[in-house]
Amino acid sequence: MDPINLLQAQATGIARDAIELVPQVVAAGVVLGMTFLVSWGVQSVLRRLFGRSRLRPSLRELLLNLAAIAVWIGGCLVAATIVFPNLTPAKALAGLGLGSVAIGFAFKDIFENFLAGLIILFRREMRLGDFIECEGLQGRVEKIAVRESHIRQTDGQLVIVPNALLFKNPLTILTDLPSRRTTVICGIRYGDDMNLARQVMTDAIAQCESVQHEQHPIQVFAQAFGESSIDFELTWWTGSKPLDVRRSRDEVMTRVKAALDANGIEIPFPIRTVEWSQPPTQEQSA
């Protein structure tokens, strides 16, 4: 057969097959349109249901997206079987299963962060606005997405953290409770009265507005014999946010210093005592 005639025959066959597929393609398009409407309706119903619940916003968005993905997967499978009749749903699902294994190996870290994000979103301990600390990172949670979380550090920098890091490592939630215990060390001279110093420091801390002494007791204990002072451990409760702790430390230290000065109790400088095994000679004294 002439090559030109062969090409014409092949083009004619392709056109004939394409024309025969037009009704199926139109039907598949109708199915995809119905899938869009079903997805929109499902999301609308879920938004109304979630409006009455106490789910966090990020978890609501995740559930809405998962519902939309599930509807679209079903619609695309139906449309594919209409266009390609030999492609049954069982074969399509089997292909998706094999593909998911290959994709899982290729994007292991992405799926790990995705699953960690799902677990974190369903947790109630870590919420938006909480201050957390993990692996040396400290800041406020601004966003919890499926793959990553946004942490705003106290210096204003934004850190995007993979969710697997927050899931696999110890995570401290600093604002889990409205108040947090704070401690500072204060030393006095060895010659000062310890009981008087303890009472003066306790009274000074109780006068601070940032100290929650009604709910939690103020604790002042002698901790150690230092090189040049007797060290006291001052413990009290204040707000749990980092700024609350910093403000409270400043107020407590200012009031304690003023109270000790008013009562003649000194916070000593470091003192070194030099001992000679034998009296110094005249040349050494000079």
PDB file of all heavy atoms in Angstrom, residues 131-150:
ATOM      1  N   PHE A 131       2.638  28.865  73.196  1.00  0.00           N
ATOM      2  CA  PHE A 131       4.093  28.966  73.143  1.00  0.00           C
ATOM      3  C   PHE A 131       4.673  27.583  73.428  1.00  0.00           C
ATOM      4  O   PHE A 131       4.302  26.950  74.427  1.00  0.00           O
ATOM      5  CB  PHE A 131       4.618  29.983  74.158  1.00  0.00           C
ATOM      6  CG  PHE A 131       4.449  31.410  73.730  1.00  0.00           C
ATOM      7  CD1 PHE A 131       3.260  32.077  73.961  1.00  0.00           C
ATOM      8  CD2 PHE A 131       5.463  32.082  73.063  1.00  0.00           C
ATOM      9  CE1 PHE A 131       3.077  33.389  73.560  1.00  0.00           C
ATOM     10  CE2 PHE A 131       5.297  33.392  72.653  1.00  0.00           C
ATOM     11  CZ  PHE A 131       4.108  34.049  72.903  1.00  0.00           C
ATOM     12  N   ILE A 132       5.561  27.125  72.536  1.00  0.00           N
ATOM     13  CA  ILE A 132       6.120  25.791  72.670  1.00  0.00           C
ATOM     14  C   ILE A 132       7.641  25.867  72.645  1.00  0.00           C
ATOM     15  O   ILE A 132       8.229  26.891  72.258  1.00  0.00           O
ATOM     16  CB  ILE A 132       5.631  24.856  71.541  1.00  0.00           C
ATOM     17  CG1 ILE A 132       6.163  25.347  70.184  1.00  0.00           C
ATOM     18  CG2 ILE A 132       4.119  24.765  71.530  1.00  0.00           C
ATOM     19  CD1 ILE A 132       5.933  24.363  69.051  1.00  0.00           C
ATOM     20  N   GLU A 133       8.260  24.756  73.037  1.00  0.00           N
ATOM     21  CA  GLU A 133       9.712  24.628  72.977  1.00  0.00           C
ATOM     22  C   GLU A 133      10.036  23.197  72.547  1.00  0.00           C
ATOM     23  O   GLU A 133       9.550  22.232  73.139  1.00  0.00           O
ATOM     24  CB  GLU A 133      10.347  24.927  74.333  1.00  0.00           C
ATOM     25  CG  GLU A 133      11.864  24.910  74.304  1.00  0.00           C
ATOM     26  CD  GLU A 133      12.469  25.344  75.625  1.00  0.00           C
ATOM     27  OE1 GLU A 133      11.686  25.682  76.557  1.00  0.00           O
ATOM     28  OE2 GLU A 133      13.701  25.339  75.737  1.00  0.00           O
ATOM     29  N   CYS A 134      10.844  23.076  71.496  1.00  0.00           N
ATOM     30  CA  CYS A 134      11.200  21.755  70.969  1.00  0.00           C
ATOM     31  C   CYS A 134      12.557  21.834  70.294  1.00  0.00           C
ATOM     32  O   CYS A 134      12.759  22.652  69.384  1.00  0.00           O
ATOM     33  CB  CYS A 134      10.135  21.275  69.973  1.00  0.00           C
ATOM     34  SG  CYS A 134      10.462  19.641  69.278  1.00  0.00           S
ATOM     35  N   GLU A 135      13.488  21.007  70.752  1.00  0.00           N
ATOM     36  CA  GLU A 135      14.820  20.919  70.154  1.00  0.00           C
ATOM     37  C   GLU A 135      15.481  22.302  70.048  1.00  0.00           C
ATOM     38  O   GLU A 135      16.056  22.662  69.010  1.00  0.00           O
ATOM     39  CB  GLU A 135      14.725  20.275  68.775  1.00  0.00           C
ATOM     40  CG  GLU A 135      14.320  18.812  68.798  1.00  0.00           C
ATOM     41  CD  GLU A 135      15.353  17.938  69.492  1.00  0.00           C
ATOM     42  OE1 GLU A 135      16.519  17.919  69.064  1.00  0.00           O
ATOM     43  OE2 GLU A 135      14.978  17.281  70.486  1.00  0.00           O
ATOM     44  N   GLY A 136      15.419  23.074  71.124  1.00  0.00           N
ATOM     45  CA  GLY A 136      16.042  24.397  71.145  1.00  0.00           C
ATOM     46  C   GLY A 136      15.242  25.487  70.473  1.00  0.00           C
ATOM     47  O   GLY A 136      15.651  26.658  70.493  1.00  0.00           O
ATOM     48  N   LEU A 137      14.109  25.160  69.873  1.00  0.00           N
ATOM     49  CA  LEU A 137      13.252  26.146  69.221  1.00  0.00           C
ATOM     50  C   LEU A 137      12.129  26.547  70.164  1.00  0.00           C
ATOM     51  O   LEU A 137      11.435  25.689  70.705  1.00  0.00           O
ATOM     52  CB  LEU A 137      12.675  25.564  67.934  1.00  0.00           C
ATOM     53  CG  LEU A 137      11.619  26.400  67.214  1.00  0.00           C
ATOM     54  CD1 LEU A 137      12.256  27.669  66.658  1.00  0.00           C
ATOM     55  CD2 LEU A 137      10.974  25.598  66.094  1.00  0.00           C
ATOM     56  N   GLN A 138      11.956  27.849  70.357  1.00  0.00           N
ATOM     57  CA  GLN A 138      10.909  28.348  71.239  1.00  0.00           C
ATOM     58  C   GLN A 138      10.156  29.464  70.533  1.00  0.00           C
ATOM     59  O   GLN A 138      10.757  30.363  69.928  1.00  0.00           O
ATOM     60  CB  GLN A 138      11.493  28.875  72.548  1.00  0.00           C
ATOM     61  CG  GLN A 138      10.436  29.315  73.552  1.00  0.00           C
ATOM     62  CD  GLN A 138      11.044  29.864  74.835  1.00  0.00           C
ATOM     63  OE1 GLN A 138      11.009  31.062  75.102  1.00  0.00           O
ATOM     64  NE2 GLN A 138      11.607  28.981  75.638  1.00  0.00           N
ATOM     65  N   GLY A 139       8.837  29.416  70.582  1.00  0.00           N
ATOM     66  CA  GLY A 139       8.041  30.451  69.938  1.00  0.00           C
ATOM     67  C   GLY A 139       6.560  30.149  70.033  1.00  0.00           C
ATOM     68  O   GLY A 139       6.127  29.189  70.679  1.00  0.00           O
ATOM     69  N   ARG A 140       5.768  30.998  69.361  1.00  0.00           N
ATOM     70  CA  ARG A 140       4.313  30.896  69.387  1.00  0.00           C
ATOM     71  C   ARG A 140       3.827  30.194  68.123  1.00  0.00           C
ATOM     72  O   ARG A 140       4.293  30.470  67.020  1.00  0.00           O
ATOM     73  CB  ARG A 140       3.695  32.293  69.493  1.00  0.00           C
ATOM     74  CG  ARG A 140       2.170  32.305  69.543  1.00  0.00           C
ATOM     75  CD  ARG A 140       1.668  33.686  69.937  1.00  0.00           C
ATOM     76  NE  ARG A 140       2.147  34.702  69.024  1.00  0.00           N
ATOM     77  CZ  ARG A 140       1.529  35.066  67.901  1.00  0.00           C
ATOM     78  NH1 ARG A 140       0.399  34.496  67.561  1.00  0.00           N
ATOM     79  NH2 ARG A 140       2.036  36.006  67.122  1.00  0.00           N
ATOM     80  N   VAL A 141       2.878  29.294  68.276  1.00  0.00           N
ATOM     81  CA  VAL A 141       2.320  28.548  67.138  1.00  0.00           C
ATOM     82  C   VAL A 141       1.365  29.464  66.383  1.00  0.00           C
ATOM     83  O   VAL A 141       0.340  29.893  66.929  1.00  0.00           O
ATOM     84  CB  VAL A 141       1.590  27.276  67.623  1.00  0.00           C
ATOM     85  CG1 VAL A 141       1.031  26.521  66.427  1.00  0.00           C
ATOM     86  CG2 VAL A 141       2.531  26.394  68.427  1.00  0.00           C
ATOM     87  N   GLU A 142       1.703  29.758  65.134  1.00  0.00           N
ATOM     88  CA  GLU A 142       0.847  30.615  64.314  1.00  0.00           C
ATOM     89  C   GLU A 142      -0.021  29.826  63.341  1.00  0.00           C
ATOM     90  O   GLU A 142      -1.125  30.253  63.003  1.00  0.00           O
ATOM     91  CB  GLU A 142       1.702  31.612  63.524  1.00  0.00           C
ATOM     92  CG  GLU A 142       2.278  32.730  64.377  1.00  0.00           C
ATOM     93  CD  GLU A 142       2.784  33.888  63.543  1.00  0.00           C
ATOM     94  OE1 GLU A 142       2.920  33.718  62.301  1.00  0.00           O
ATOM     95  OE2 GLU A 142       3.035  34.961  64.110  1.00  0.00           O
ATOM     96  N   LYS A 143       0.473  28.677  62.895  1.00  0.00           N
ATOM     97  CA  LYS A 143      -0.284  27.893  61.922  1.00  0.00           C
ATOM     98  C   LYS A 143       0.113  26.429  62.030  1.00  0.00           C
ATOM     99  O   LYS A 143       1.286  26.112  62.195  1.00  0.00           O
ATOM    100  CB  LYS A 143      -0.030  28.406  60.498  1.00  0.00           C
ATOM    101  CG  LYS A 143      -0.793  27.653  59.417  1.00  0.00           C
ATOM    102  CD  LYS A 143      -0.475  28.218  58.039  1.00  0.00           C
ATOM    103  CE  LYS A 143      -1.218  27.461  56.946  1.00  0.00           C
ATOM    104  NZ  LYS A 143      -0.890  27.987  55.591  1.00  0.00           N
ATOM    105  N   ILE A 144      -0.887  25.543  61.965  1.00  0.00           N
ATOM    106  CA  ILE A 144      -0.635  24.101  61.932  1.00  0.00           C
ATOM    107  C   ILE A 144      -1.224  23.590  60.628  1.00  0.00           C
ATOM    108  O   ILE A 144      -2.443  23.477  60.479  1.00  0.00           O
ATOM    109  CB  ILE A 144      -1.267  23.381  63.132  1.00  0.00           C
ATOM    110  CG1 ILE A 144      -0.780  23.989  64.453  1.00  0.00           C
ATOM    111  CG2 ILE A 144      -0.935  21.899  63.090  1.00  0.00           C
ATOM    112  CD1 ILE A 144      -1.448  23.391  65.674  1.00  0.00           C
ATOM    113  N   ALA A 145      -0.359  23.303  59.664  1.00  0.00           N
ATOM    114  CA  ALA A 145      -0.800  22.778  58.381  1.00  0.00           C
ATOM    115  C   ALA A 145      -0.625  21.263  58.368  1.00  0.00           C
ATOM    116  O   ALA A 145      -0.184  20.661  59.344  1.00  0.00           O
ATOM    117  CB  ALA A 145      -0.015  23.432  57.248  1.00  0.00           C
ATOM    118  N   VAL A 146      -0.956  20.660  57.235  1.00  0.00           N
ATOM    119  CA  VAL A 146      -0.859  19.200  57.145  1.00  0.00           C
ATOM    120  C   VAL A 146       0.592  18.748  57.146  1.00  0.00           C
ATOM    121  O   VAL A 146       0.940  17.747  57.770  1.00  0.00           O
ATOM    122  CB  VAL A 146      -1.575  18.708  55.873  1.00  0.00           C
ATOM    123  CG1 VAL A 146      -1.414  17.209  55.719  1.00  0.00           C
ATOM    124  CG2 VAL A 146      -3.048  19.065  55.934  1.00  0.00           C
ATOM    125  N   ARG A 147       1.473  19.489  56.497  1.00  0.00           N
ATOM    126  CA  ARG A 147       2.865  19.048  56.379  1.00  0.00           C
ATOM    127  C   ARG A 147       3.812  19.789  57.297  1.00  0.00           C
ATOM    128  O   ARG A 147       4.855  19.270  57.675  1.00  0.00           O
ATOM    129  CB  ARG A 147       3.335  19.223  54.918  1.00  0.00           C
ATOM    130  CG  ARG A 147       4.613  18.480  54.583  1.00  0.00           C
ATOM    131  CD  ARG A 147       5.174  18.909  53.252  1.00  0.00           C
ATOM    132  NE  ARG A 147       5.675  20.268  53.286  1.00  0.00           N
ATOM    133  CZ  ARG A 147       6.895  20.592  53.692  1.00  0.00           C
ATOM    134  NH1 ARG A 147       7.719  19.679  54.145  1.00  0.00           N
ATOM    135  NH2 ARG A 147       7.283  21.853  53.677  1.00  0.00           N
ATOM    136  N   GLU A 148       3.481  21.012  57.682  1.00  0.00           N
ATOM    137  CA  GLU A 148       4.404  21.847  58.442  1.00  0.00           C
ATOM    138  C   GLU A 148       3.635  22.713  59.419  1.00  0.00           C
ATOM    139  O   GLU A 148       2.418  22.874  59.321  1.00  0.00           O
ATOM    140  CB  GLU A 148       5.206  22.733  57.479  1.00  0.00           C
ATOM    141  CG  GLU A 148       4.312  23.679  56.698  1.00  0.00           C
ATOM    142  CD  GLU A 148       4.997  24.324  55.518  1.00  0.00           C
ATOM    143  OE1 GLU A 148       5.999  23.779  55.030  1.00  0.00           O
ATOM    144  OE2 GLU A 148       4.508  25.384  55.067  1.00  0.00           O
ATOM    145  N   SER A 149       4.386  23.252  60.372  1.00  0.00           N
ATOM    146  CA  SER A 149       3.830  24.195  61.345  1.00  0.00           C
ATOM    147  C   SER A 149       4.672  25.460  61.333  1.00  0.00           C
ATOM    148  O   SER A 149       5.888  25.408  61.132  1.00  0.00           O
ATOM    149  CB  SER A 149       3.816  23.579  62.753  1.00  0.00           C
ATOM    150  OG  SER A 149       2.956  22.464  62.812  1.00  0.00           O
ATOM    151  N   HIS A 150       4.015  26.599  61.544  1.00  0.00           N
ATOM    152  CA  HIS A 150       4.691  27.891  61.549  1.00  0.00           C
ATOM    153  C   HIS A 150       4.849  28.352  63.004  1.00  0.00           C
ATOM    154  O   HIS A 150       3.859  28.511  63.721  1.00  0.00           O
ATOM    155  CB  HIS A 150       3.900  28.923  60.751  1.00  0.00           C
ATOM    156  CG  HIS A 150       3.806  28.580  59.298  1.00  0.00           C
ATOM    157  ND1 HIS A 150       3.163  29.396  58.378  1.00  0.00           N
ATOM    158  CD2 HIS A 150       4.275  27.524  58.587  1.00  0.00           C
ATOM    159  CE1 HIS A 150       3.237  28.837  57.175  1.00  0.00           C
ATOM    160  NE2 HIS A 150       3.910  27.704  57.285  1.00  0.00           N
TER     161      HIS A 150
END
